[in-house]
C-alpha cells in the first residue's frame, strides 16, 4: 500500500518512484498515484500521525520535483479505514487537502475515489465542490458492494456525473470497481448513461476521446 508516509523508508520510496516514472513514460501515462502506506503494526495512529505526515510531506515534495521534470502529475488518494484498510495513513479528503496545502506543489493533486469518500464522510456533492480545484482524477464504485455504479447502493451516480460536468471536470473517471459478472456486460451502465445524455452508440467513441 505504498511507502510515502512510512518513516525510515524514504530510500525505498525514491527507488520505487524512479521505477514508476519509467513505467509511466513507457505507457504514456502522465499521472502517478503516490501511495501513503500503512500505520506500522502495533503503533497507535494518533501517536505516530505527526511523524508520518512529516515523512509524507518530505517524500511528496521530492516526488513533485522529479515528476515536474517529466511533465507528470502526482496523485494522493484517501482510502477508507472503516472497511478497506484500517491501517492506511491517508483516509479522508480533508486530510489529503491539508497535506497538499502544506506540500505546496502545483503538480500534486487529489485522486478522489467516490467509494472511499462516501464511506468516510458522505456529503459527496459538497466535497466535490469544495475540493474540485485540487482534483486530478476521479474513481467510482457503488457503496457498499463496490460494483458497477448502477448496481444497488447508496450513491446516485447520474447526479454526480452531471455535477462533475457542471463543475467543468474534463479528466478521466476510473472504474475502480469489481464487476458483478462479465466486465464488458458490466459496462452497460455506461451505454445507458450516454443514451440518457442524448448520445448515440456511433458517437460514443468520439465522446470518450
Amino acid at each position: 500500500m505504498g511507502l510515502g508516509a512510512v518513516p525510515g523508508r524514504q530510500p525505498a520510496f525514491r527507488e520505487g518512484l524512479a521505477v514508476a516514472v519509467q513505467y509511466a513514460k513507457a505507457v504514456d501515462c502522465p499521472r502517478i498515484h503516490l501511495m501513503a502506506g500503512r500505520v506500522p503494526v502495533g503503533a497507535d495512529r494518533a501517536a505516530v500521525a505527526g511523524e508520518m505526515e512529516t515523512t509524507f510531506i518530505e517524500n511528496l515534495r521530492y516526488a513533485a520535483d522529479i515528476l515536474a521534470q517529466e511533465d507528470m502529475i502526482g496523485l494522493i488518494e484517501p482510502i477508507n479505514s472503516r472497511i478497506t484498510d484500517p491501517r492506511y495513513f491517508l483516509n479522508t479528503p480533508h486530510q489529503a487537502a491539508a497535506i497538499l496545502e502544506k506540500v505546496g506543489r502545483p503538480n500534486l493533486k487529489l485522486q478522489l475515489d467516490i467509494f472511499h469518500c462516501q464511506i468516510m464522510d458522505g456529503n459527496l456533492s459538497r466535497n466535490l465542490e469544495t475540493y474540485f480545484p485540487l482534483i486530478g482524477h476521479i474513481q467510482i464504485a457503488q457503496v457498499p458492494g463496490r460494483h458497477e455504479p448502477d448496481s444497488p447502493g447508496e450513491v446516485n451516480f447520474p447526479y454526480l456525473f452531471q455535477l462533475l460536468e457542471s463543475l467543468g471536470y474534463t479528466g478521466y473517471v476510473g472504474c475502480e470497481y469489481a464487476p458483478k459478472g462479465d466486465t464488458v456486460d458490466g459496462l452497460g451502465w455506461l451505454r445507458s448513461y450516454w443514451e440518457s445524455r442524448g448520445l448515440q452508440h456511433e458517437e460514443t467513441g468520439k465522446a470518450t476521446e
Side-chain angles (χ1 to χ4, degrees):
M1 297 295 286
L3 297 170
V6 182
R9 299 300 304 276
Q10 289 92 328
F13 172 84
R14 295 184 179 195
E15 292 173 7
L17 176 65
V19 173
V21 167
Q22 293 305 310
Y23 277 120
K25 290 170 65 176
V27 298
D28 195 25
C29 178
R31 291 171 173 79
I32 293 179
H33 180 191
L34 305 167
M35 300 190 76
R38 294 183 169 113
V39 174
V41 176
D44 177 73
R45 178 183 287 271
V48 300
E51 183 182 12
M52 292 191 73
E53 181 178 287
T54 297
T55 301
F56 201 22
I57 290 171
E58 173 192 334
N59 280 330
L60 288 174
R61 285 175 176 160
Y62 173 85
D65 292 342
I66 295 297
L67 295 176
Q69 298 172 20
E70 305 292 345
D71 197 26
M72 291 181 178
I73 299 292
L75 301 168
I76 62 172
E77 177 191 8
I79 295 176
N80 81 82
S81 58
R82 292 177 173 161
I83 298 174
T84 302
D85 194 330
R87 288 172 40 223
Y88 197 72
F89 173 69
L90 187 67
N91 49 45
T92 71
H94 320 296
Q95 180 190 11
I99 288 173
L100 288 173
E101 182 177 2
K102 292 176 182 178
V103 173
R105 295 290 195 276
N107 65 327
L108 294 183
K109 297 291 185 180
L110 173 64
Q111 179 169 298
L112 189 67
D113 189 317
I114 299 298
F115 175 82
H116 297 304
C117 187
Q118 169 68 3
I119 290 171
M120 291 301 293
D121 190 59
N123 200 23
L124 295 176
S125 298
R126 182 59 58 86
N127 278 325
L128 283 171
E129 292 167 350
T130 299
Y131 299 116
F132 186 76
L134 299 176
I135 291 174
H137 188 58
I138 294 284
Q139 293 178 329
I140 59 170
Q142 187 57 273
V143 181
R146 208 170 189 178
H147 299 308
E148 288 87 349
D150 66 343
S151 60
E154 303 171 7
V155 182
N156 181 350
F157 277 103
Y159 169 79
L160 292 181
F161 292 154
Q162 292 183 41
L163 175 60
L164 285 169
E165 287 185 25
S166 71
L167 291 171
Y169 183 69
T170 58
Y172 287 102
V173 174
C175 297
E176 184 79 353
Y177 59 75
K180 294 184 69 174
D182 179 79
T183 299
V184 175
D185 290 344
L187 289 171
W189 69 267
L190 182 55
R191 290 187 288 272
S192 297
Y193 178 73
W194 276 334
E195 290 171 357
S196 75
R197 303 292 291 163
L199 295 172
Q200 302 298 319
H201 286 302
E202 61 267 19
E203 295 176 309
T204 57
K206 182 180 295 185
T208 61
E209 292 177 355

